[in-house]
Amino acid sequence: MAYYFIADTHFGHENALAFDNRPFKTIEDHDKALVDNWNQAVGRDDEIFILGDISWYNATKTIAIVKSLNGIKHLIVGNHDKKLLKNRELQSLFAEITDYKELELPDGKGAVLCHYPIPCFNHHYYGWVHLYGHVHISFEWNMMERVKYEMQALYDKPCLMYNCGAMIDYMNYTPRTLEEIVSGNSGNAC
């Protein structure tokens, strides 16, 4: 069993193709690539943490997609998930639904999981990381990267926070392990 993470899959969200410059001609191509990549990376018994904004589709179509995805699914609620989560069948597909989670890892450290970036997250002085989404590839992500840089360069403080949005280069529309996220982001890490 392994832990995997991804945010901002935005299944069915045609505007996300343009907003994020996602490299797909149609939303159907986008959705198929996400499902294929997910199921190639994540095994049936792996734990997968979705950090919000899973789908733009209605509940029926979202349920079909979630059922097709491997892994034991945990949803960290994003701003686009609340309406969908009124559906009890969709709720039942997740092992857990929460707004925020502190995940203790086998190495004695852990990860703070939230859809939104939190620069001064709990345990950041103790080697924990923070995984988030929401800001896509935007000026807000640039602001978070600037905060990370200043905390390290100006104040000599750790700030191990990583955007795990599907559209980020090191994510490449694929759920990733924490190790893959950290190593893929090594050029930007504090």
Side-chain angles (χ1 to χ4, degrees):
M1 179 199 70
Y3 292 130
Y4 287 87
F5 307 90
I6 195 166
D8 298 309
T9 50
H10 285 269
F11 287 105
H13 193 176
E14 290 190 52
N15 287 343
L17 297 179
F19 179 74
D20 292 328
N21 197 25
R22 294 185 184 208
F24 305 98
K25 290 186 183 209
T26 68
I27 197 63
E28 293 79 16
D29 292 344
H30 167 268
D31 295 350
K32 182 179 181 336
L34 277 165
V35 170
D36 290 347
N37 291 353
W38 182 305
N39 288 335
Q40 287 174 10
V42 179
R44 295 234 176 253
D45 295 326
D46 291 330
E47 303 274 343
I48 171 75
F49 295 87
I50 307 151
L51 278 68
D53 290 1
I54 191 166
S55 178
W56 201 252
Y57 287 123
N58 65 27
T60 302
K61 180 88 176 199
T62 300
I63 288 166
I65 290 171
V66 172
K67 283 182 174 180
S68 76
L69 300 172
N70 286 343
I72 300 163
K73 298 169 221 46
H74 304 260
L75 179 62
I76 311 302
V77 178
N79 53 301
H80 294 298
D81 298 322
K82 292 176 174 108
K83 183 177 178 184
L84 279 174
L85 288 173
K86 292 178 182 176
N87 183 290
R88 290 193 187 267
E89 184 180 356
L90 180 60
Q91 289 176 17
S92 74
L93 300 178
F94 297 100
E96 168 184 37
I97 299 171
T98 187
D99 292 325
Y100 172 93
K101 182 169 184 71
E102 293 183 8
L103 178 66
E104 291 193 34
L105 300 171
D107 64 3
K109 295 184 181 170
V112 171
L113 309 177
C114 187
H115 181 62
Y116 307 98
I118 308 168
C120 300
F121 58 93
N122 196 23
H123 306 296
H124 72 106
Y125 290 128
Y126 303 103
W128 280 46
V129 300
H130 170 40
L131 301 178
Y132 66 93
H134 185 65
V135 296
H136 295 244
I137 301 173
S138 69
F139 77 93
E140 293 171 314
W141 184 37
N142 290 334
M143 286 176 18
M144 292 301 97
E145 291 298 299
R146 180 69 186 182
V147 166
K148 286 172 50 174
Y149 169 78
E150 288 181 3
M151 287 181 81
Q152 180 66 32
L154 302 178
Y155 303 109
D156 196 29
K157 303 293 182 197
C159 185
L160 302 172
M161 56 188 289
Y162 304 97
N163 185 343
C164 62
M167 77 299 299
I168 303 297
D169 286 346
Y170 51 84
M171 296 299 295
N172 195 27
Y173 306 94
T174 306
R176 301 290 182 191
T177 65
L178 183 58
E179 295 78 18
E180 290 172 324
I181 292 168
V182 171
S183 68
N185 191 32
S186 61
N188 298 327
C190 301

